[in-house]
Amino acid sequence: QAHKLQGQCEKIWEKWCRAADAANRMDFYEIQRLIDRQILECGEGLFIPAMLMDPNRPYSLALDIIEPDRLRTPYAFIGDKNIRGGVRVGDRGEPLSYFISKKHPGDFMYGGGSYDFQYTEIPAFNSQGRKNVIHIYEVERPGQTRGIPFFTPVLDYFKHLVDYEEAELVAARISACYALIIETENSASASIAASDETN
């Protein structure tokens, strides 16, 4: 009976893995790879366990992957000491809710240049104590509410390298360009001299 139950669980798991993405683009293992990349680039991964009432899905549970840049403090709450980087925290620093923007910060250029973003405040836990938001990051300091990108300590160094490389390329382009000026009172001889220089 134990082996039979194990086989049934594995079949259910494999079936759910293929439809784990709420956007129907990735399976569960591709989601894992994406979250790993997000942690490397952004310092954190963020997703919401969603219950989708879609008859075409094998199971209701799906994972809604959230771009970390959408976790932001609304303008109306800037200055509130209990909201840090889009996370409302309690007296002990525990997360109480998350402010998720409905649009990415870079999408303002497609909305007529308006910065009027709408936010959804999602409680950290539901009434049964289940997490509504899964926020994955490495805590390096007490009270830390957001993740730190992996390359943060060396970003300035990379910027200096890029600036140096660009300066070298500009200098090489300038040195490759030179002007030849011929001064003469005879236009015919100037044409001959220019032709000889070209040849």
Side-chain angles (χ1 to χ4, degrees), residues 140-152:
E140 299 180 358
R141 297 181 63 86
Q144 180 181 337
T145 57
R146 297 291 302 268
I148 301 174
F150 184 78
F151 292 105
T152 296

Side-chain angles (χ1 to χ4, degrees), residues 163-178:
D163 292 342
Y164 175 76
E165 182 180 8
E166 183 179 0
E168 287 291 333
L169 290 175
V170 171
R173 287 199 298 266
I174 292 175
S175 64
C177 301
Y178 66 93

Side-chain angles (χ1 to χ4, degrees), residues 25-197:
R25 288 194 297 262
M26 300 175 288
D27 61 25
F28 179 74
Y29 302 104
E30 291 172 326
I31 290 175
Q32 283 185 311
R33 185 168 63 247
L34 175 61
I35 293 297
D36 286 341
R37 183 182 179 91
Q38 290 287 297
I39 292 174
L40 180 65
E41 292 182 355
C42 305
E44 55 193 349
L46 195 69
F47 62 90
I48 298 174
M51 302 300 291
L52 305 180
M53 300 297 106
D54 186 351
N56 296 320
R57 303 183 65 86
Y59 304 103
S60 301
L61 177 63
L63 303 180
D64 187 8
I65 313 301
I66 303 297
E67 171 67 41
D69 289 343
R70 291 174 55 197
L71 180 59
R72 311 172 68 213
T73 300
Y75 295 113
F77 293 99
I78 292 178
D80 190 329
K81 64 181 181 65
N82 292 325
I83 300 178
R84 306 171 186 173
V87 182
R88 187 189 294 277
V89 298
D91 296 333
R92 299 185 305 276
E94 73 278 14
L96 299 179
S97 61
Y98 296 83
F99 289 91
I100 307 296
S101 172
K102 294 184 178 180
K103 296 188 296 184
H104 189 275
D107 290 345
F108 79 96
M109 65 182 64
Y110 302 107
S114 174
Y115 285 93
D116 184 20
F117 291 102
Q118 296 180 350
Y119 293 85
T120 301
E121 184 176 4
I122 303 176
F125 299 91
N126 64 9
S127 57
Q128 284 77 38
R130 181 178 69 89
K131 283 189 174 183
N132 288 329
V133 178
I134 309 298
H135 191 196
I136 304 173
Y137 64 96
E138 182 178 359
V139 179
E140 299 180 358
R141 297 181 63 86
Q144 180 181 337
T145 57
R146 297 291 302 268
I148 301 174
F150 184 78
F151 292 105
T152 296
V154 294
L155 283 180
D156 288 341
Y157 181 70
F158 286 164
K159 180 64 167 58
H160 293 324
L161 286 177
V162 171
D163 292 342
Y164 175 76
E165 182 180 8
E166 183 179 0
E168 287 291 333
L169 290 175
V170 171
R173 287 199 298 266
I174 292 175
S175 64
C177 301
Y178 66 93
L180 177 64
I181 301 175
I182 302 175
E183 294 184 0
T184 179
E185 296 180 356
N186 188 341
S187 59
S189 61
S191 300
I192 295 172
S195 177
D196 293 340
E197 183 66 24

